[in-house]
Amino acid sequence: MSTSKKARRQFLQQLAATSVIGAGGISLLIQNALANGKDPLASGMHKITGDVRVNGVAAKEGMLLKNGDTIETGAKSQAIYVIGKDAFFQRDNTVVNFAGGAAADVMRVLTGKILSVFGKGQRTIQTST
């Protein structure tokens, strides 16, 4: 395992151990993703707290997600989800758009806070700042 992969794994394990990202929440999702290696978790919404919308429609756990979707969390809300080989922990008052079509590797963080773990491959993250 490369040094950068070891460092990333250690950082994620430290976050999980200190419960910075919530017991059983994203830490469990990331732990499962790391353990699965080449077999990523199923794409979709894994955990929802509060008001979460996908393309303007109220999200439900198990809901399928794909490139081209816009995910929005309201006040005191959060979402944990997987798209392809990438896992996301989206915090309150956040809007994220995942480009579709030829630009499927583009993630636009329009507002807010998000923690992401990406599978192999190149990604582009666009932010307002």
Side-chain angles (χ1 to χ4, degrees):
M1 184 180 299
S2 72
T3 303
S4 64
K5 285 184 182 179
K6 284 182 185 178
R8 181 177 65 186
R9 181 178 285 224
Q10 288 174 342
F11 173 72
L12 293 172
Q13 287 172 338
Q14 287 172 349
L15 283 177
T18 60
S19 298
V20 168
I21 49 181
I26 190 72
S27 60
L28 182 59
L29 181 66
I30 291 170
Q31 185 178 34
N32 287 340
L34 290 172
N36 287 337
K38 293 182 181 179
D39 300 326
L41 295 173
S43 289
M45 196 62 72
H46 286 262
K47 183 173 171 86
I48 296 172
T49 303
D51 182 27
V52 179
R53 299 187 174 274
V54 177
N55 302 323
V57 177
K60 297 181 180 180
E61 290 184 18
M63 179 181 208
L64 293 178
L65 300 172
K66 60 192 178 315
N67 288 323
D69 285 344
T70 298
I71 296 130
E72 181 175 1
T73 52
K76 299 181 182 177
S77 302
Q78 61 186 24
I80 298 173
Y81 53 92
V82 174
I83 298 177
K85 296 180 181 179
D86 307 326
F88 304 91
F89 174 48
Q90 186 168 322
R91 301 289 305 270
D92 59 325
N93 299 316
T94 300
V95 179
V96 177
N97 171 264
F98 296 91
D105 61 346
V106 177
M107 177 176 111
R108 293 181 190 98
V109 181
L110 304 175
T111 61
K113 309 161 280 235
I114 189 163
L115 173 68
S116 308
V117 177
F118 297 103
K120 290 185 178 183
Q122 185 174 345
R123 305 288 187 285
T124 301
I125 301 171
Q126 297 176 346
T127 65
S128 59
T129 57

